[in-house]
Amino acid sequence: MDELELLKKDWQTNANQENQHISSEAIYPMMQKKSSSIVKTLFYISVAELVFWIILNSYPYFASEAYRAELTSMYGGNNNVFLAITLFSHAIILVFVYLLYKAHKSISVTDNAKKLMEGILKTRKVIKYYVIYNLVVAFLSMSFGLYHSVYNNPEISQQFEKFSDKQMFIATLVMIIFTALFILIIWVFYRLIYGILLKRLNRNYKELKKLEV
Amino acid sequence: MNKELENNFVELLEKHQNIVHKVCRLYTNNQDAHNDLFQEITIQLWKAYPKFRGDAKFSTWMYRVGLNTAITLYRKSKRTIKTQEFEKVSFKIKSVEYDDTEEQQLKLLYQAVYQLNDIEKALVFLYLEDKKYNEISETLGISEVNARVKMNRVKKKLKTILNP
């Protein structure tokens, strides 16, 4: 007999005999407990992600008057440019909140396994794009900030004027490496979080995809 | 959620709970993990219950939610067999002299099933539960042909694990 048929015969007789029974009284409290599923964790991470970047972007502006003045001077004293950029960044956040909400809503445990996995991976992708967006913005503002300090801050620009071409090249290089390194560290950190969280899901999804080839 | 819905759900789950136990037995290797997974499946079933439509059988619906939770949503690390325990299992299989008695074969078969990956386990589970290939394909989201092909591969894999 086929091995699996032998197993099936045994399974049909033995596995269907209940050797542990949970009473209805015990089921009620179970239903009220909090889920610790991957979707729940992903949801918390996405909310934390949104809050983290919003705070990081807006806190310094509200916290210090000097910084606010500096920012205004950076935009050439033109408050409208600054306002436009702020409005734009808030609009982007709203778009991401909407996309995240939609992605989370589309995850359904009653879908088939592949569709469920795709729903979760789609949510993760939205978070990924949000992170990439923030990293690009961080990179641009850091570069712009550095550029601004070099050319507009009297002390630093005086210092730079004394530099030879070679020194100037090294200083620029150091700045670029420093900015890139900062971005890279954050990126690796994200890869690590999601890598650990979604390792099994990715493996199982690949296994299902492999069946289609 | 109203009380009536809650009572209906508990009544159905109590009646069909063996399906959940079977999923837990396949995907966990100790009682703590078993209870933990049972708990998570219960939460997922309850969360999805308001959307459950009577046109599907409750038990059929349970297979889907149960397996989805075990394969995709559940994320406790103690669920997986630790490397050491895993080695012990494969060591046992290799060292035991081939015995033709059914009991011995069954023991080896169950150990071999534990060594399959999550998707293969789901296929075997639905097969053992006497599910038709169209239901297996719908539960996993693969085509019927692919479900059959994969099942044949799993059969071969089990054979190789049993007779290395």
Side-chain angles (χ1 to χ4, degrees):
Chain A
M1 195 198 293
D2 189 314
E3 277 94 348
L4 217 54
E5 289 308 313
L6 176 70
L7 193 67
K8 192 174 181 174
K9 206 179 85 190
D10 181 73
W11 181 270
Q12 297 277 331
T13 13
N14 293 326
N16 286 322
Q17 287 170 2
E18 273 189 29
N19 45 16
Q20 49 186 328
H21 186 86
I22 296 177
S23 68
S24 53
E25 287 75 29
I27 293 175
Y28 282 103
M30 276 182 160
M31 289 152 61
Q32 312 309 332
K33 289 236 174 91
K34 285 226 162 70
S35 159
S36 59
S37 79
I38 196 169
V39 176
K40 211 57 187 276
T41 314
L42 210 58
F43 175 76
Y44 288 137
I45 291 181
S46 51
V47 170
E49 210 73 86
L50 280 169
V51 172
F52 171 76
W53 286 104
I54 290 172
I55 290 177
L56 198 73
N57 289 331
S58 50
Y59 178 74
Y61 183 72
F62 292 109
S64 132
E65 205 150 307
Y67 180 76
R68 211 156 37 216
E70 179 79 8
L71 271 180
T72 318
S73 87
M74 259 169 88
Y75 293 107
N78 189 344
N79 258 326
N80 283 342
V81 178
F82 182 67
L83 190 72
I85 289 173
T86 314
L87 280 177
F88 176 75
S89 65
H90 281 88
I92 294 279
I93 290 170
L94 281 178
V95 168
F96 273 111
V97 169
Y98 170 72
L99 288 176
L100 266 177
Y101 172 77
K102 235 179 82 181
H104 269 290
K105 268 287 206 207
S106 72
I107 296 174
S108 166
V109 73
T110 52
D111 272 334
N112 66 50
K114 192 162 153 249
K115 222 172 146 199
L116 172 67
M117 290 179 196
E118 278 164 352
I120 296 169
L121 291 173
K122 204 176 134 198
T123 313
R124 184 247 182 281
K125 229 180 230 168
V126 175
I127 306 174
K128 188 169 117 185
Y129 291 142
Y130 181 65
V131 169
I132 290 175
Y133 161 76
N134 276 301
L135 288 180
V136 168
V137 169
F139 180 76
L140 288 178
S141 43
M142 273 175 85
S143 314
F144 186 64
L146 282 171
Y147 175 85
H148 175 79
S149 329
V150 168
Y151 289 97
N152 291 344
N153 188 314
E155 281 171 39
I156 303 177
S157 49
Q158 263 175 21
Q159 185 71 36
F160 265 76
E161 268 165 21
K162 287 181 206 151
F163 277 3
S164 67
D165 278 355
K166 200 179 164 196
Q167 276 173 319
M168 193 67 186
F169 174 73
I170 292 169
T172 318
L173 201 68
V174 167
M175 282 193 291
I176 292 172
I177 290 173
F178 173 73
T179 318
L181 208 65
F182 170 78
I183 305 290
L184 190 75
I185 288 169
I186 298 183
W187 182 240
V188 168
F189 175 69
Y190 280 122
R191 299 289 298 183
L192 218 62
I193 293 182
Y194 292 115
I196 294 166
L197 183 69
L198 300 175
K199 191 176 152 206
R200 192 162 145 254
L201 189 141
N202 275 321
R203 196 181 56 214
N204 286 341
Y205 184 65
K206 262 186 210 147
E207 180 74 22
L208 277 179
K209 284 293 269 185
K210 220 168 65 190
L211 293 176
E212 284 177 350
V213 184
Chain B
M1 306 255 176
N2 62 48
K3 198 78 196 155
E4 196 189 325
L5 196 73
E6 214 174 291
N7 292 341
N8 285 343
F9 172 78
V10 172
E11 195 185 313
L12 281 167
L13 178 58
E14 198 202 357
K15 193 170 146 205
H16 297 285
Q17 63 174 282
N18 207 28
I19 296 173
V20 184
H21 283 302
K22 282 187 276 190
V23 172
C24 295
R25 229 171 288 154
L26 203 61
Y27 284 94
T28 63
N29 64 330
N30 65 56
Q31 194 56 44
D32 275 352
H34 180 117
N35 296 345
D36 208 39
L37 181 55
F38 191 97
Q39 160 85 66
E40 187 61 45
I41 294 176
T42 304
I43 295 171
Q44 295 300 334
L45 282 166
W46 173 230
K47 258 170 54 185
Y49 188 61
K51 276 186 265 163
F52 168 69
R53 282 191 291 269
D55 50 346
K57 252 170 62 188
F58 187 73
S59 56
T60 312
W61 184 75
M62 274 177 90
Y63 281 106
R64 185 175 276 218
V65 177
L67 278 176
N68 271 343
T69 310
I71 296 171
T72 308
L73 302 180
Y74 188 59
R75 54 168 198 92
K76 285 279 160 70
S77 57
K78 56 187 172 187
R79 159 193 42 81
T80 44
I81 299 177
K82 289 189 189 92
T83 327
Q84 218 184 346
E85 291 171 63
F86 198 79
E87 278 165 6
K88 249 191 270 167
V89 173
S90 29
F91 175 68
K92 257 192 218 156
I93 291 175
K94 277 173 200 152
S95 69
V96 172
E97 285 290 309
Y98 187 71
D99 189 336
D100 208 17
T101 63
E102 255 189 33
E103 206 175 317
Q104 185 62 38
Q105 263 193 310
L106 279 168
K107 205 175 145 198
L108 292 177
L109 271 166
Y110 278 113
Q111 283 172 347
V113 169
Y114 267 103
Q115 289 186 46
L116 296 174
N117 67 41
D118 289 344
I119 303 296
E120 291 167 341
K121 271 184 192 171
L123 265 163
V124 171
F125 172 64
L126 292 168
Y127 184 83
L128 295 179
E129 289 290 299
D130 216 15
K131 297 292 167 204
K132 301 279 173 285
Y133 275 106
N134 64 348
E135 202 178 316
I136 297 178
S137 82
E138 273 170 30
T139 308
L140 297 178
I142 53 176
S143 75
E144 212 176 308
V145 178
N146 287 335
R148 278 177 200 276
V149 171
K150 182 70 184 171
M151 198 63 212
N152 282 330
R153 278 191 214 143
V154 173
K155 281 183 191 174
K156 272 189 203 144
K157 195 169 172 181
L158 283 177
K159 262 202 180 91
T160 340
I161 299 178
L162 287 174
N163 312 297

